[in-house]
């Protein structure tokens, strides 16, 4: 009897899934800080080079600092900004989403899984995949469909049509799930 109870307990824990962790939040914050540090270094070196060119006593050597400023600006603009700016925007979006998730109102509800959708949407700046669940409305005494979003970085959860689920969402983006009943 105790062994069967232990297997049931382990099975329920392994089904329970938590998509976002504090470790990911720290990674996105670190990416954001690295971008800001790199941008500050670029601005400080260009300002220092410009100030040094103003204090040159010989006009012949002033053009070296001006050429340096032009070349570093072009290099930063053409190489660094397209690659770093995309990562910075993504890290900033995910960091704000994770902060809002921690501080915001989470919704916990029981529903029946219906189907996956093939379309992708953007919700709060996060690219998401969509699946549909049926929820029973006690006031109107009928079922209605609700779209729940899964972050595009994660795979769809292993749901089967007709399963009863306990979902925890923030702004309809899936944070946690638990399979209550298999048909």
């Amino acid at each position: 009897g105790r062994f069967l109870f232990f297997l049931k307990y382990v099975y329920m824990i392994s089904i329970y899934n938590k998509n976002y962790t504090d470790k990911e939040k720290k990674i996105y914050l670190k990416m954001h800080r690295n971008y800001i540090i790199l941008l500050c270094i670029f601005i400080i070196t260009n300002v220092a080079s410009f100030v040094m060119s103003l204090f040159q006593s010989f006009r012949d050597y002033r053009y070296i600092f001006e050429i340096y400023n032009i070349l570093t600006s072009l290099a930063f603009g053409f190489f660094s900004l397209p690659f770093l700016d995309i990562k910075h925007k993504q890290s900033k979006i995910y960091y704000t989403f994770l902060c809002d998730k921690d501080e915001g109102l989470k919704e916990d509800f029981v529903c029946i899984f219906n189907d996956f959708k093939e379309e992708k949407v953007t919700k709060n700046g996060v690219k998401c995949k969509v699946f549909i669940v049926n929820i029973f409305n006690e006031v109107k005494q009928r079922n209605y469909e609700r779209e729940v979003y899964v972050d595009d970085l994660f795979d769809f959860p292993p749901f089967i049509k007709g399963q009863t689920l306990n979902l925890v969402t923030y702004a309809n983006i899936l944070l946690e799930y638990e399979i209550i009943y298999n048909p």
Side-chain angles (χ1 to χ4, degrees):
R2 288 185 183 179
F3 183 70
L4 291 176
F5 175 75
F6 177 73
L7 283 179
K8 183 179 178 185
Y9 179 74
V10 171
Y11 179 70
M12 291 300 289
I13 295 298
S14 65
I15 284 177
Y16 194 77
N17 185 20
K18 196 170 194 176
N19 284 341
Y20 301 99
T21 61
D22 288 334
K23 184 178 179 183
E24 290 178 351
K25 188 176 176 182
K26 290 177 185 175
I27 289 170
Y28 291 126
L29 179 63
K30 186 176 179 182
M31 287 173 66
H32 178 68
R33 285 183 184 162
N34 289 346
Y35 179 79
I36 298 298
I37 289 170
L38 185 64
L39 190 63
C40 289
I41 289 172
F42 166 73
I43 291 171
I44 288 170
T45 55
N46 275 348
V47 168
S49 174
F50 178 72
V51 168
M52 286 177 61
S53 70
L54 292 178
F55 290 116
Q56 283 295 320
S57 59
F58 299 106
R59 291 179 106 5
D60 296 338
Y61 296 110
R62 182 180 259 176
Y63 72 91
I64 294 174
F65 293 105
E66 292 171 1
I67 290 174
Y68 170 77
N69 280 341
I70 292 170
L71 290 179
T72 55
S73 298
L74 289 175
F76 190 79
F78 285 121
F79 299 112
S80 300
L81 279 179
F83 299 110
L84 291 176
D85 198 37
I86 292 170
K87 285 185 179 180
H88 175 252
K89 284 181 183 177
Q90 290 174 347
S91 66
K92 188 175 179 183
I93 287 170
Y94 273 100
Y95 182 72
T96 55
F97 168 71
L98 292 174
C99 287
D100 291 345
K101 173 195 71 88
D102 290 340
E103 298 167 1
L105 181 65
K106 295 176 192 160
E107 187 176 1
D108 186 3
F109 58 93
V110 176
C111 60
I112 298 172
F113 176 72
N114 191 4
D115 197 13
F116 293 111
K117 271 190 173 180
E118 293 299 322
E119 70 182 59
K120 293 186 180 181
V121 296
T122 302
K123 184 78 172 170
N124 293 346
V126 179
K127 293 181 182 177
C128 299
K129 300 179 274 192
V130 182
F131 68 91
I132 300 172
V133 295
N134 290 331
I135 298 179
F136 183 73
N137 187 342
E138 294 179 11
V139 175
K140 296 184 179 180
Q141 295 295 319
R142 67 182 181 106
N143 285 332
Y144 68 95
E145 290 185 345
R146 179 175 177 176
E147 291 184 346
V148 179
Y149 306 107
V150 178
D151 191 346
D152 203 23
L153 299 175
F154 300 109
D155 294 332
F156 274 125
F159 297 151
I160 302 170
K161 188 170 184 166
Q163 281 182 329
T164 304
L165 309 170
N166 183 16
L167 302 179
V168 177
T169 61
Y170 169 74
N172 277 349
I173 297 177
L174 181 66
L175 299 177
E176 301 173 3
Y177 68 85
E178 181 180 2
I179 299 173
I180 297 173
Y181 173 74
N182 282 324

